[in-house]
PDB file of all heavy atoms in Angstrom:
ATOM      1  N   ARG A 180      -9.163  22.799  -2.241  1.00  0.00           N
ATOM      2  CA  ARG A 180      -7.904  22.205  -2.703  1.00  0.00           C
ATOM      3  C   ARG A 180      -6.964  21.952  -1.532  1.00  0.00           C
ATOM      4  O   ARG A 180      -6.325  20.891  -1.440  1.00  0.00           O
ATOM      5  CB  ARG A 180      -7.230  23.124  -3.719  1.00  0.00           C
ATOM      6  CG  ARG A 180      -7.716  22.949  -5.155  1.00  0.00           C
ATOM      7  CD  ARG A 180      -6.919  23.870  -6.067  1.00  0.00           C
ATOM      8  NE  ARG A 180      -7.239  23.674  -7.464  1.00  0.00           N
ATOM      9  CZ  ARG A 180      -6.654  22.783  -8.260  1.00  0.00           C
ATOM     10  NH1 ARG A 180      -5.712  21.989  -7.769  1.00  0.00           N
ATOM     11  NH2 ARG A 180      -6.997  22.667  -9.525  1.00  0.00           N
ATOM     12  N   THR A 181      -6.861  22.934  -0.647  1.00  0.00           N
ATOM     13  CA  THR A 181      -5.980  22.781   0.508  1.00  0.00           C
ATOM     14  C   THR A 181      -6.443  21.624   1.394  1.00  0.00           C
ATOM     15  O   THR A 181      -5.617  20.857   1.920  1.00  0.00           O
ATOM     16  CB  THR A 181      -5.933  24.078   1.323  1.00  0.00           C
ATOM     17  OG1 THR A 181      -5.440  25.137   0.493  1.00  0.00           O
ATOM     18  CG2 THR A 181      -5.026  23.937   2.535  1.00  0.00           C
ATOM     19  N   CYS A 182      -7.754  21.479   1.556  1.00  0.00           N
ATOM     20  CA  CYS A 182      -8.281  20.354   2.335  1.00  0.00           C
ATOM     21  C   CYS A 182      -7.815  19.025   1.749  1.00  0.00           C
ATOM     22  O   CYS A 182      -7.399  18.114   2.484  1.00  0.00           O
ATOM     23  CB  CYS A 182      -9.809  20.400   2.348  1.00  0.00           C
ATOM     24  SG  CYS A 182     -10.521  21.607   3.478  1.00  0.00           S
ATOM     25  N   VAL A 183      -7.887  18.904   0.432  1.00  0.00           N
ATOM     26  CA  VAL A 183      -7.467  17.667  -0.226  1.00  0.00           C
ATOM     27  C   VAL A 183      -5.979  17.426  -0.005  1.00  0.00           C
ATOM     28  O   VAL A 183      -5.545  16.303   0.285  1.00  0.00           O
ATOM     29  CB  VAL A 183      -7.783  17.716  -1.732  1.00  0.00           C
ATOM     30  CG1 VAL A 183      -7.240  16.484  -2.442  1.00  0.00           C
ATOM     31  CG2 VAL A 183      -9.290  17.818  -1.950  1.00  0.00           C
ATOM     32  N   GLU A 184      -5.181  18.486  -0.105  1.00  0.00           N
ATOM     33  CA  GLU A 184      -3.733  18.348   0.060  1.00  0.00           C
ATOM     34  C   GLU A 184      -3.371  17.946   1.491  1.00  0.00           C
ATOM     35  O   GLU A 184      -2.475  17.119   1.705  1.00  0.00           O
ATOM     36  CB  GLU A 184      -3.052  19.659  -0.327  1.00  0.00           C
ATOM     37  CG  GLU A 184      -3.181  19.973  -1.813  1.00  0.00           C
ATOM     38  CD  GLU A 184      -2.761  21.389  -2.158  1.00  0.00           C
ATOM     39  OE1 GLU A 184      -2.260  22.101  -1.247  1.00  0.00           O
ATOM     40  OE2 GLU A 184      -2.934  21.802  -3.325  1.00  0.00           O
ATOM     41  N   VAL A 185      -4.057  18.519   2.464  1.00  0.00           N
ATOM     42  CA  VAL A 185      -3.809  18.163   3.861  1.00  0.00           C
ATOM     43  C   VAL A 185      -4.238  16.714   4.121  1.00  0.00           C
ATOM     44  O   VAL A 185      -3.548  15.953   4.810  1.00  0.00           O
ATOM     45  CB  VAL A 185      -4.549  19.131   4.804  1.00  0.00           C
ATOM     46  CG1 VAL A 185      -4.492  18.642   6.252  1.00  0.00           C
ATOM     47  CG2 VAL A 185      -3.949  20.534   4.705  1.00  0.00           C
ATOM     48  N   LEU A 186      -5.372  16.322   3.551  1.00  0.00           N
ATOM     49  CA  LEU A 186      -5.844  14.957   3.715  1.00  0.00           C
ATOM     50  C   LEU A 186      -4.894  13.972   3.048  1.00  0.00           C
ATOM     51  O   LEU A 186      -4.621  12.890   3.575  1.00  0.00           O
ATOM     52  CB  LEU A 186      -7.239  14.826   3.120  1.00  0.00           C
ATOM     53  CG  LEU A 186      -8.109  13.677   3.644  1.00  0.00           C
ATOM     54  CD1 LEU A 186      -8.396  13.857   5.127  1.00  0.00           C
ATOM     55  CD2 LEU A 186      -9.424  13.616   2.854  1.00  0.00           C
ATOM     56  N   ARG A 187      -4.355  14.342   1.892  1.00  0.00           N
ATOM     57  CA  ARG A 187      -3.391  13.477   1.200  1.00  0.00           C
ATOM     58  C   ARG A 187      -2.120  13.327   2.034  1.00  0.00           C
ATOM     59  O   ARG A 187      -1.531  12.246   2.094  1.00  0.00           O
ATOM     60  CB  ARG A 187      -3.086  14.061  -0.164  1.00  0.00           C
ATOM     61  CG  ARG A 187      -1.964  13.382  -0.926  1.00  0.00           C
ATOM     62  CD  ARG A 187      -2.290  11.966  -1.289  1.00  0.00           C
ATOM     63  NE  ARG A 187      -3.092  11.842  -2.498  1.00  0.00           N
ATOM     64  CZ  ARG A 187      -3.374  10.678  -3.077  1.00  0.00           C
ATOM     65  NH1 ARG A 187      -2.915   9.546  -2.552  1.00  0.00           N
ATOM     66  NH2 ARG A 187      -4.120  10.623  -4.154  1.00  0.00           N
ATOM     67  N   MET A 188      -1.692  14.409   2.701  1.00  0.00           N
ATOM     68  CA  MET A 188      -0.522  14.328   3.576  1.00  0.00           C
ATOM     69  C   MET A 188      -0.779  13.353   4.715  1.00  0.00           C
ATOM     70  O   MET A 188       0.080  12.538   5.062  1.00  0.00           O
ATOM     71  CB  MET A 188      -0.185  15.712   4.122  1.00  0.00           C
ATOM     72  CG  MET A 188       0.976  15.730   5.102  1.00  0.00           C
ATOM     73  SD  MET A 188       2.567  15.367   4.331  1.00  0.00           S
ATOM     74  CE  MET A 188       3.045  17.024   3.813  1.00  0.00           C
ATOM     75  N   GLU A 189      -1.984  13.394   5.278  1.00  0.00           N
ATOM     76  CA  GLU A 189      -2.307  12.475   6.369  1.00  0.00           C
ATOM     77  C   GLU A 189      -2.367  11.046   5.862  1.00  0.00           C
ATOM     78  O   GLU A 189      -1.997  10.099   6.572  1.00  0.00           O
ATOM     79  CB  GLU A 189      -3.633  12.859   7.027  1.00  0.00           C
ATOM     80  CG  GLU A 189      -3.989  11.967   8.183  1.00  0.00           C
ATOM     81  CD  GLU A 189      -4.914  12.612   9.198  1.00  0.00           C
ATOM     82  OE1 GLU A 189      -5.115  13.831   9.141  1.00  0.00           O
ATOM     83  OE2 GLU A 189      -5.421  11.885  10.061  1.00  0.00           O
ATOM     84  N   ALA A 190      -2.815  10.875   4.630  1.00  0.00           N
ATOM     85  CA  ALA A 190      -2.869   9.527   4.050  1.00  0.00           C
ATOM     86  C   ALA A 190      -1.473   8.947   3.918  1.00  0.00           C
ATOM     87  O   ALA A 190      -1.290   7.728   3.988  1.00  0.00           O
ATOM     88  CB  ALA A 190      -3.557   9.571   2.686  1.00  0.00           C
ATOM     89  N   GLY A 191      -0.472   9.798   3.718  1.00  0.00           N
ATOM     90  CA  GLY A 191       0.894   9.313   3.646  1.00  0.00           C
ATOM     91  C   GLY A 191       1.386   8.790   4.981  1.00  0.00           C
ATOM     92  O   GLY A 191       2.217   7.878   5.051  1.00  0.00           O
TER      93      GLY A 191
END
Side-chain angles (χ1 to χ4, degrees):
R180 275 183 175 273
T181 300
C182 282
V183 175
E184 293 168 6
V185 171
L186 203 63
R187 172 65 83 173
M188 177 69 87
E189 182 155 348

